[in-house]
Amino acid sequence: MVSRYNLEHIDIISRRSRNDYKASNDRFPGQKQPRDRTVHGGKLRGDLASALKGFDESRPIDPRIEPVKGAFLEVELKRGGVADKLERKKSGVKPLAAQLDAAENKVVGLFVPDEARAVLAHVLEEYHTGPLIEDTNNPPQKSFVDPIESFRQARLETFWTDDPAALPDDPTHWMWWEVWCVKSAETDLEQLAEQLDARCAAVDQRLQFPEHVVIPIYANRTMIEIMLFGRFAIMELRRATDNPTFFLDTLDDDEQIAWTDDLANRVRWPVSDAPSVCLLDSGVNRAHHLIEPALATNEQDAVVKSWGVDDSGPFPGHGTQMAGLALHGDLTFRLGSALPYDLRHRLESVKILPPPGVAATEERFYGSVTKSAVSIAEANHPDRRRVFCMAVTNDGVSGIQPTTWSAAIDQEAAGVTIDGEQAPRRLFVISAGNAPNPIMMRDIQPVDALAIEDPAQAWNALVVGGYTDKIDIQEPELADYKPMSDAGELSPFTRSSTLWTKGRSPYKPDIVMEAGNRAVDPMEQSAVDTNSLSVLTSGPDVGRKPLTAFRATSAATAEASRLAARLMERHPEYWPETIRGLLVHGAEWTDKMRRVLDPLGKTDAAALLRQFGYGVPTFERAAASAENHLALVAQSEIQPYTSSGGRSFKDCHYYDLPWPAAALEQLGDKEVKLKITLSYFVEPNPGALSTLDAYRYQSFGLRFDLKRRNETLTNFKKRVNVAERADRFDKPPSGSDDGKWRFGPDSISCGSLHSDEWSGPAAHLLTRNVLCIKPVGGWWRGRADAKVCNKKSRYALIVSIKTQDQSVKLHTDISAIITPPVAVGTDVEIGF
């Protein structure tokens, strides 16, 4: 019986050699056979009960984490011992990492569930005291116990299979860890890392194997210990070393080609009608094996036919480098995997930069060139859904005010035509422009002094800045250098809109993506660009060097375009406005960004939007609707104004938010985060006055407002909508909000994309259950004819609530509430 084997009272570990047993001819109590146990190495060192108890008493504790129901041991096996023999599938005993110690004995991490402790004790006691097997004269459980030399409580070192010198002793040391995770526990480990403020790399930067997934995690040693011993998820730990230098500095030309061809053979290439990233750039070398199957000959063009479609111009090779990232992302991770993968979007290229020997395009024609490129792409494939990707900026020209180029992009995004007919809306992804990269540190300017460049002030474009996670310098000649930026900080190559102080300029960048880093010498006198702090992409010299390093906001923009195209493929029903909103809604600030943002008041925090944007998006967050992080999406048409009876505001949409009362009550005072993102495209009206007055530039504007906690529905409607008041000149009901918004309504009122986050007790959301979308001023209302004043336009609304409590199933509860659709608004019905 299990109760007989009490770990606190049994000395399980002591045993004697076969010769000792035979010489003494001792017998176990109740046994008629002599003690004859094959143990080879003499006594089994350590004590299982002590090892288990020691682990329980010394495991890292974090109040946010419920400890795993089990223990981790370190088992030393004799030479030749097989780690798999330790597995007990029925009881859940599982061997984890294995390595050789200095004596070449095998050391294995072993997970023992609580319910298996007594089972394991029984196995060892049975070996120690049970009757010998008649046919073999071997003790029971011999194959399991005989190879074991000793038991000890596990430490982090038990699971570290890399160079021991690479394991940091400092518990607060941050680095990228290579975490070998049980495949079925991947989501659980991600949630655990998030609770601890560690950061997991995106899914496409992970290696997938039949039983394991290798996840790069940015964390300190203490966090890793809590994750390791807080869940049965981690099998093994190493230092993350995936880096472009292996492919660029180690491989010769033929080897680069072989690796590239291997990846090309593993890709399941997209169908002809898949969404595309349309590059407006220097052309693309279609001969590249990682590009050609996704870029047809009739999908390459140029705004001037005589320019040709080859990759040439003031930055030759730039378009081909963009193409690799726009299709595959950072090739470091794709090449490192051996698995096939599906590519579900395509590539198009329209050359907008003239080749060598041709005069550069005059600045006043930049807008018309961009419009021509859009027309060419759409004429070739009019029904294709696409993302227009442009990492070309007007070098040195600040985007502080609208220009003909930025206004042309806003027009194309909004579908404005000369005859007034509505053309399709379009999504533009544009780079913020690159910071200079001088060698001497004294010449490097702070990001606040480097204004985002024209045309990235375009209201309707998704503008991409740069951050970096690249901190591993691998070049031998730079061994004593350090990265200029820490992981999670802004890239040295990015720009900001901090200097855009006039009027109400939109907050840019909208998001930040990986843009690479620089290396600084030990004396902090100089900085250099280096392959190891870059991303890996396709090179234009396909016959000799098909791989190359790439960096700066061009790389970031290509990667953002890839995310957008993947979302288009996943959600063909979503509008360009919605895709832009999802990318912003799915962005999060890194821990380094939050440490700057969190202590600030609303105004100061909003100012930092001009550096960080809304953070770093991932495809998984943008697309996910998980149990504890639920996104609700609405797409609707609204008529902001009416000319009937004098020009005034018209529609105001109300959404009854389907909060699950039981789940929120269960959470009580636990914190939840409510995030709201509103995205729409305006028709621009550029001019001198529009620089100072946003209402003169935008055709219309929208804002969102949430019913306050103790506010009646009647008072809420009167506060947000003048039409709800008995007299339009009446003042709205007084009262202030609870102050729990990160930015507040005054700080997110610029541009055509608005996003804010409310954090507070879950129970407080119960009565904050009505959301309003209301119009604000624009030139349609005051300066357009009646037909234009009465126009309708579209918007996308994304709402999500998030909790770290994994026991609360928000998705299940809300799904039950929102079927059928929610009736909202004044004269429309919109369902999430």
Side-chain angles (χ1 to χ4, degrees), residues 805-821:
D805 191 327
Q806 306 304 316
S807 65
V808 178
K809 304 301 183 183
L810 297 175
H811 181 275
T812 303
D813 292 344
I814 291 180
S815 296
I817 295 172
I818 63 173
T819 304

Side-chain angles (χ1 to χ4, degrees), residues 407-424:
I409 290 170
D410 278 337
Q411 283 185 327
E412 292 299 290
V416 178
T417 61
I418 296 175
D419 58 11
E421 295 297 317
Q422 180 64 56

Side-chain angles (χ1 to χ4, degrees), residues 297-313:
T297 53
N298 65 345
E299 293 168 342
Q300 290 182 282
D301 219 314
V303 292
V304 177
K305 298 295 184 183
S306 61
W307 290 358
V309 297
D310 292 338
D311 191 351
S312 62

